[in-house]
Amino acid sequence: MATVDTASVEPHAPPTQLVPPTWPSSVAIPAQLRPVAAPPRQRSATAPEQQPQPAATLIGSVQRAMRLLESVAAHEHGAPAKQLARETGLALPTAYHLLRTLVYEGYLRRDKGLFFLGEAAERLSSSGAQEKRRSTLVDALAAWRDSIGVPVYYAMYRDGEIEVMCVADTPGNPAVEEWADFRETGHAHAIGQCLLAQLDEDARRDHLDRYPARSLTPYTVRDGHSLLRRLDRMRRMELVVERQEYALGTVCAAIPITFGSTAATIAISLPSHQSDRLLAAARQLQTEAGRLLGSLALSISI
């Protein structure tokens, strides 16, 4: 017979022994045979017990308004109040009151007796979709960072400006320190050169008129004319490599991504003593990004 290790039994919860149902009521029950009450249930500090919400604390008018919004959203071409009241099980006067309120607040609009989702509701929807797209892109950059072992950047050219939207790095592989404003130094780093290469000549000249080329390191392109000649020689979707032009001790590569009229790029950086890894890492990123371009097509607009 196996020996029971009594040290592993919790002291506050000894085994419960049931009282035989035929025990005479006149006989005192020995203390050691009395049922032991179960200890109170402990709540986890990290996962608190969820209690059902009492119905009395719910706001009925809010629930009814939400049902109306859901019903309107299901009708792309609009629906009249009577139909909405019928679908939501609301009395027609109640539905009218709520619909008027939702129209006043901008969550619905009324046109020729039909109700449609309003601008306020559409803003809520687009905000959620935008956050989902951002999350998709951030997750992709983190996955590439981990698989390739380099910092990964995502940038766009938007409203005449170079904008670095996301960066995925680690303490062991940190991103390049922005010691000079990326927007004003696009001529000097791979991200900026890659974005400018995707623009037409007029847009490039406009950018360089606002942000003239200047030397940041001994390797930086000397002037705007030299940069324009370099960009003209680049093929539209060519990988862009920059070695210590923005910051001494750093090399970078940028992959052009164009959707419609949107110019974007995914880029990486490495310390210059690892420059022999740069092209191979960039090609790996190009391959991995290519597999996801379909799902990332909308995410570039974040």
Side-chain angles (χ1 to χ4, degrees), residues 209-261:
D209 285 343
R210 290 180 288 118
Y211 302 115
R214 55 190 175 90
S215 293
L216 301 181
T217 77
Y219 305 97
T220 308
V221 64
R222 291 289 180 262
D223 54 64
H225 294 296
S226 299
L227 177 65
L228 289 173
R229 286 197 298 270
R230 180 193 295 183
L231 296 177
D232 285 338
R233 291 194 298 269
M234 289 182 186
R235 289 177 294 179
R236 182 171 175 79
M237 300 308 290
E238 184 179 357
L239 179 71
V240 177
V241 175
E242 166 262 305
R243 300 179 188 274
Q244 304 190 82
E245 295 182 46
Y246 175 77
L248 291 175
T250 302
V251 294
C252 303
I255 299 165
I257 301 175
T258 302
F259 289 101
S261 60

Coordinates of all heavy atoms in Angstrom, one line a residue, residues 209-261:
D209 N 13.5 71.6 -51.7 CA 13.5 73.0 -51.5 C 13.1 73.3 -50.1 O 13.6 74.3 -49.5 CB 12.4 73.6 -52.4 CG 12.8 73.7 -53.9 OD1 14.0 73.6 -54.1 OD2 11.9 73.8 -54.8
R210 N 12.3 72.5 -49.5 CA 11.9 72.7 -48.1 C 13.0 72.2 -47.1 O 13.2 72.8 -46.0 CB 10.6 72.1 -47.8 CG 9.4 72.8 -48.5 CD 8.1 72.1 -48.2 NE 7.9 70.8 -48.8 CZ 7.7 69.7 -48.2 NH1 7.8 69.6 -46.9 NH2 7.6 68.6 -48.9
Y211 N 13.6 71.1 -47.5 CA 14.6 70.5 -46.6 C 15.9 70.3 -47.5 O 16.2 69.2 -48.0 CB 14.1 69.2 -46.1 CG 12.9 69.3 -45.3 CD1 11.7 68.6 -45.7 CD2 12.8 70.0 -44.1 CE1 10.5 68.7 -45.0 CE2 11.6 70.1 -43.3 CZ 10.5 69.5 -43.8 OH 9.4 69.5 -43.1
P212 N 16.7 71.3 -47.6 CA 17.9 71.2 -48.5 C 18.9 70.1 -48.0 O 19.0 69.9 -46.7 CB 18.5 72.6 -48.4 CG 17.4 73.5 -48.0 CD 16.5 72.7 -47.1
A213 N 19.6 69.5 -48.9 CA 20.6 68.5 -48.5 C 21.8 69.2 -47.8 O 22.2 70.3 -48.2 CB 21.1 67.8 -49.7
R214 N 22.3 68.6 -46.8 CA 23.5 69.1 -46.1 C 24.2 67.9 -45.5 O 23.7 66.8 -45.3 CB 23.0 70.0 -44.9 CG 22.1 69.4 -43.9 CD 21.5 70.4 -43.0 NE 20.5 69.9 -42.1 CZ 20.7 69.4 -40.9 NH1 22.0 69.3 -40.4 NH2 19.7 68.9 -40.2
S215 N 25.5 68.1 -45.3 CA 26.4 67.1 -44.8 C 26.1 66.8 -43.4 O 26.2 67.7 -42.5 CB 27.8 67.4 -45.0 OG 28.1 67.5 -46.4
L216 N 25.9 65.5 -43.0 CA 25.8 65.1 -41.6 C 27.0 64.3 -41.2 O 27.4 64.3 -40.0 CB 24.5 64.2 -41.5 CG 23.2 64.9 -41.8 CD1 22.0 63.9 -41.6 CD2 23.0 66.2 -41.1
T217 N 27.6 63.6 -42.2 CA 28.8 62.8 -41.9 C 29.7 63.0 -43.2 O 29.2 63.5 -44.2 CB 28.5 61.3 -41.7 OG1 28.3 60.7 -43.0 CG2 27.4 61.1 -40.7
P218 N 30.9 62.5 -43.2 CA 31.7 62.6 -44.4 C 31.2 61.8 -45.5 O 31.6 62.0 -46.7 CB 33.1 62.0 -43.9 CG 33.1 62.3 -42.4 CD 31.7 62.1 -42.0
Y219 N 30.2 61.0 -45.3 CA 29.7 60.1 -46.4 C 28.3 60.6 -46.9 O 27.8 60.0 -47.9 CB 29.5 58.7 -45.8 CG 30.7 58.1 -45.2 CD1 30.9 58.1 -43.8 CD2 31.7 57.5 -46.0 CE1 32.1 57.6 -43.3 CE2 32.9 57.0 -45.5 CZ 33.1 57.0 -44.1 OH 34.2 56.5 -43.6
T220 N 27.8 61.7 -46.4 CA 26.5 62.2 -46.8 C 26.6 62.8 -48.2 O 27.6 63.5 -48.5 CB 26.0 63.3 -45.8 OG1 26.0 62.8 -44.5 CG2 24.6 63.7 -46.2
V221 N 25.6 62.6 -49.0 CA 25.5 63.3 -50.3 C 25.7 64.8 -50.1 O 25.1 65.4 -49.2 CB 24.2 62.9 -51.0 CG1 23.0 63.5 -50.3 CG2 24.2 63.4 -52.4
R222 N 26.4 65.4 -51.0 CA 26.8 66.8 -50.8 C 25.7 67.8 -51.0 O 25.7 68.9 -50.4 CB 28.1 67.1 -51.6 CG 29.3 66.4 -51.2 CD 29.8 67.0 -49.9 NE 31.0 66.3 -49.4 CZ 31.0 65.3 -48.5 NH1 29.9 64.9 -48.0 NH2 32.1 64.7 -48.1
D223 N 24.9 67.6 -52.0 CA 23.9 68.6 -52.4 C 22.7 68.0 -53.0 O 22.7 66.8 -53.3 CB 24.5 69.7 -53.3 CG 25.2 69.1 -54.5 OD1 24.4 68.4 -55.3 OD2 26.4 69.2 -54.6
G224 N 21.6 68.8 -53.2 CA 20.4 68.3 -53.8 C 20.6 67.8 -55.2 O 19.9 66.8 -55.6
H225 N 21.4 68.4 -56.0 CA 21.6 68.0 -57.4 C 22.2 66.6 -57.4 O 21.8 65.7 -58.2 CB 22.5 69.0 -58.1 CG 21.8 70.3 -58.3 ND1 20.7 70.5 -59.1 CD2 22.2 71.5 -57.8 CE1 20.4 71.8 -59.0 NE2 21.3 72.4 -58.3
S226 N 23.2 66.3 -56.6 CA 23.8 65.0 -56.5 C 22.8 64.0 -56.1 O 22.8 62.8 -56.7 CB 25.0 65.0 -55.6 OG 26.0 65.9 -55.9
L227 N 21.9 64.3 -55.1 CA 20.9 63.4 -54.7 C 19.9 63.1 -55.8 O 19.6 61.9 -56.0 CB 20.2 63.9 -53.5 CG 19.1 63.0 -53.0 CD1 19.6 61.7 -52.4 CD2 18.3 63.7 -51.8
L228 N 19.5 64.1 -56.5 CA 18.5 63.9 -57.6 C 19.1 63.0 -58.7 O 18.4 62.2 -59.2 CB 18.1 65.3 -58.2 CG 17.2 66.1 -57.3 CD1 17.0 67.5 -57.9 CD2 15.8 65.4 -57.1
R229 N 20.4 63.2 -59.0 CA 21.0 62.3 -60.0 C 21.0 60.9 -59.5 O 20.8 59.9 -60.3 CB 22.4 62.8 -60.3 CG 22.4 64.1 -61.1 CD 23.8 64.3 -61.8 NE 24.8 64.4 -60.7 CZ 25.2 65.6 -60.2 NH1 24.6 66.7 -60.6 NH2 26.1 65.7 -59.3
R230 N 21.3 60.7 -58.2 CA 21.3 59.3 -57.6 C 19.9 58.7 -57.7 O 19.8 57.5 -58.1 CB 21.8 59.4 -56.2 CG 21.8 58.0 -55.5 CD 22.0 58.0 -54.0 NE 23.3 58.6 -53.6 CZ 23.7 58.7 -52.4 NH1 22.9 58.3 -51.4 NH2 24.9 59.2 -52.1
L231 N 18.9 59.5 -57.4 CA 17.5 59.0 -57.4 C 17.1 58.6 -58.8 O 16.4 57.7 -59.0 CB 16.6 60.0 -56.7 CG 16.8 60.3 -55.2 CD1 15.8 61.3 -54.8 CD2 16.7 59.0 -54.4
D232 N 17.5 59.4 -59.8 CA 17.2 59.2 -61.2 C 17.7 57.9 -61.6 O 17.1 57.2 -62.5 CB 17.6 60.3 -62.1 CG 16.8 61.6 -61.9 OD1 15.6 61.4 -61.5 OD2 17.3 62.7 -62.2
R233 N 18.9 57.5 -61.1 CA 19.5 56.2 -61.5 C 18.9 55.0 -60.9 O 19.1 53.9 -61.4 CB 21.0 56.3 -61.2 CG 21.8 57.3 -62.1 CD 23.3 57.0 -61.9 NE 23.8 57.2 -60.6 CZ 24.3 58.3 -60.1 NH1 24.3 59.4 -60.8 NH2 24.7 58.4 -58.8
M234 N 18.1 55.2 -59.8 CA 17.5 54.1 -59.1 C 16.3 53.6 -59.9 O 15.5 54.4 -60.4 CB 17.0 54.5 -57.7 CG 18.1 54.7 -56.8 SD 17.4 55.1 -55.1 CE 18.9 55.5 -54.2
R235 N 16.1 52.3 -60.0 CA 14.9 51.8 -60.5 C 13.8 51.9 -59.4 O 14.1 52.0 -58.2 CB 15.0 50.3 -60.8 CG 15.9 50.0 -62.1 CD 16.1 48.6 -62.3 NE 16.9 47.9 -61.3 CZ 17.2 46.6 -61.2 NH1 16.7 45.8 -62.2 NH2 17.9 46.2 -60.3
R236 N 12.6 52.1 -59.9 CA 11.5 52.5 -59.0 C 11.3 51.6 -57.7 O 11.1 52.2 -56.6 CB 10.1 52.5 -59.7 CG 9.0 53.0 -58.9 CD 7.7 53.2 -59.8 NE 6.6 53.6 -58.9 CZ 6.4 54.8 -58.5 NH1 7.2 55.8 -58.7 NH2 5.3 55.0 -57.8
M237 N 11.4 50.3 -57.8 CA 11.2 49.5 -56.7 C 12.5 48.8 -56.2 O 12.5 47.7 -55.7 CB 10.2 48.4 -57.0 CG 8.8 49.0 -57.4 SD 8.2 50.1 -56.2 CE 7.8 49.0 -54.8
E238 N 13.7 49.5 -56.4 CA 15.0 49.0 -56.1 C 15.3 49.1 -54.6 O 14.9 50.1 -53.9 CB 16.0 49.7 -56.9 CG 17.4 49.2 -56.7 CD 18.4 49.9 -57.5 OE1 18.0 50.8 -58.3 OE2 19.6 49.6 -57.4
L239 N 15.9 48.1 -54.0 CA 16.4 48.2 -52.6 C 17.4 49.4 -52.5 O 18.3 49.5 -53.3 CB 17.1 46.9 -52.3 CG 17.6 46.7 -50.9 CD1 16.5 46.6 -49.8 CD2 18.5 45.5 -50.8
V240 N 17.2 50.2 -51.4 CA 18.1 51.3 -51.2 C 19.0 51.0 -50.0 O 18.5 50.6 -48.9 CB 17.3 52.6 -50.9 CG1 18.2 53.7 -50.6 CG2 16.4 52.9 -52.1
V241 N 20.3 51.2 -50.2 CA 21.3 51.0 -49.2 C 22.0 52.3 -48.8 O 22.4 53.0 -49.7 CB 22.3 49.9 -49.6 CG1 23.4 49.7 -48.6 CG2 21.6 48.6 -49.8
E242 N 22.2 52.5 -47.6 CA 22.9 53.7 -47.1 C 24.0 53.3 -46.1 O 23.6 52.6 -45.1 CB 21.9 54.7 -46.6 CG 22.5 55.8 -45.8 CD 22.5 55.6 -44.3 OE1 21.4 55.4 -43.8 OE2 23.5 55.6 -43.7
R243 N 25.2 53.7 -46.2 CA 26.3 53.4 -45.3 C 26.9 54.6 -44.6 O 27.6 55.4 -45.3 CB 27.3 52.5 -46.0 CG 26.8 51.3 -46.7 CD 27.9 50.5 -47.4 NE 27.4 49.4 -48.2 CZ 27.2 48.2 -47.7 NH1 27.5 47.9 -46.4 NH2 26.7 47.2 -48.4
Q244 N 26.5 54.8 -43.4 CA 27.1 55.9 -42.5 C 26.8 57.3 -43.1 O 27.5 58.2 -42.7 CB 28.6 55.7 -42.3 CG 28.9 54.3 -41.7 CD 30.4 54.2 -41.3 OE1 30.7 54.7 -40.2 NE2 31.2 53.7 -42.1
E245 N 25.8 57.4 -43.9 CA 25.4 58.8 -44.4 C 24.6 59.6 -43.4 O 24.8 60.8 -43.3 CB 24.6 58.7 -45.7 CG 25.4 58.1 -46.8 CD 24.6 58.0 -48.1 OE1 24.0 59.0 -48.4 OE2 24.6 56.9 -48.8
Y246 N 23.8 58.9 -42.6 CA 23.1 59.6 -41.5 C 23.8 59.6 -40.2 O 23.8 60.6 -39.5 CB 21.7 59.0 -41.4 CG 20.9 59.5 -40.2 CD1 20.2 60.7 -40.4 CD2 20.8 58.9 -39.0 CE1 19.5 61.3 -39.3 CE2 20.0 59.4 -38.0 CZ 19.4 60.6 -38.1 OH 18.6 61.2 -37.1
A247 N 24.4 58.5 -39.8 CA 25.1 58.4 -38.5 C 26.3 57.5 -38.7 O 26.2 56.4 -39.3 CB 24.1 57.8 -37.5
L248 N 27.4 58.0 -38.2 CA 28.6 57.2 -38.2 C 28.4 55.9 -37.4 O 27.8 55.9 -36.4 CB 29.8 58.0 -37.7 CG 30.3 59.2 -38.6 CD1 31.4 59.9 -37.8 CD2 30.8 58.7 -39.9
G249 N 28.9 54.8 -38.0 CA 28.8 53.5 -37.3 C 27.5 52.8 -37.6 O 27.3 51.7 -36.9
T250 N 26.7 53.3 -38.5 CA 25.4 52.6 -38.8 C 25.3 52.5 -40.3 O 25.5 53.4 -41.1 CB 24.3 53.4 -38.2 OG1 24.4 53.6 -36.8 CG2 22.9 52.7 -38.5
V251 N 24.8 51.3 -40.7 CA 24.4 51.1 -42.1 C 22.9 50.7 -42.2 O 22.4 50.1 -41.2 CB 25.2 50.0 -42.8 CG1 26.7 50.4 -42.9 CG2 25.1 48.7 -42.0
C252 N 22.2 51.1 -43.2 CA 20.8 50.8 -43.3 C 20.4 50.4 -44.7 O 21.1 50.7 -45.7 CB 20.0 52.1 -43.0 SG 20.4 52.8 -41.4
A253 N 19.3 49.7 -44.8 CA 18.7 49.3 -46.1 C 17.2 49.5 -46.0 O 16.6 49.3 -45.0 CB 19.0 47.9 -46.4
A254 N 16.6 49.9 -47.1 CA 15.1 50.2 -47.1 C 14.5 49.6 -48.4 O 15.1 49.6 -49.5 CB 14.9 51.7 -47.1
I255 N 13.3 49.0 -48.2 CA 12.6 48.3 -49.2 C 11.4 49.1 -49.6 O 10.6 49.5 -48.7 CB 12.1 46.9 -48.7 CG1 13.4 46.0 -48.4 CG2 11.3 46.2 -49.8 CD1 13.0 44.8 -47.5
P256 N 11.3 49.5 -50.9 CA 10.1 50.4 -51.2 C 8.8 49.6 -51.3 O 8.8 48.4 -51.7 CB 10.5 50.8 -52.6 CG 11.5 49.8 -53.2 CD 12.2 49.3 -52.0
I257 N 7.8 50.2 -50.8 CA 6.4 49.6 -50.9 C 5.5 50.7 -51.4 O 5.3 51.7 -50.8 CB 5.9 49.1 -49.5 CG1 6.9 48.1 -48.9 CG2 4.5 48.5 -49.6 CD1 6.5 47.7 -47.5
T258 N 4.9 50.4 -52.5 CA 4.0 51.4 -53.1 C 2.6 50.8 -53.3 O 2.5 49.7 -54.0 CB 4.5 51.9 -54.5 OG1 5.8 52.5 -54.3 CG2 3.6 52.9 -55.1
F259 N 1.6 51.4 -52.8 CA 0.2 51.0 -53.1 C -0.6 52.2 -53.6 O -0.8 53.2 -52.9 CB -0.5 50.5 -51.8 CG 0.0 49.2 -51.3 CD1 0.9 49.1 -50.3 CD2 -0.4 48.0 -51.9 CE1 1.3 47.9 -49.8 CE2 0.0 46.8 -51.4 CZ 0.9 46.7 -50.4
G260 N -0.9 52.2 -54.9 CA -1.6 53.3 -55.5 C -0.6 54.5 -55.5 O 0.5 54.4 -55.9
S261 N -1.1 55.6 -54.9 CA -0.2 56.8 -54.8 C 0.5 56.9 -53.5 O 1.2 57.9 -53.3 CB -1.1 58.0 -55.0 OG -2.1 58.1 -54.0

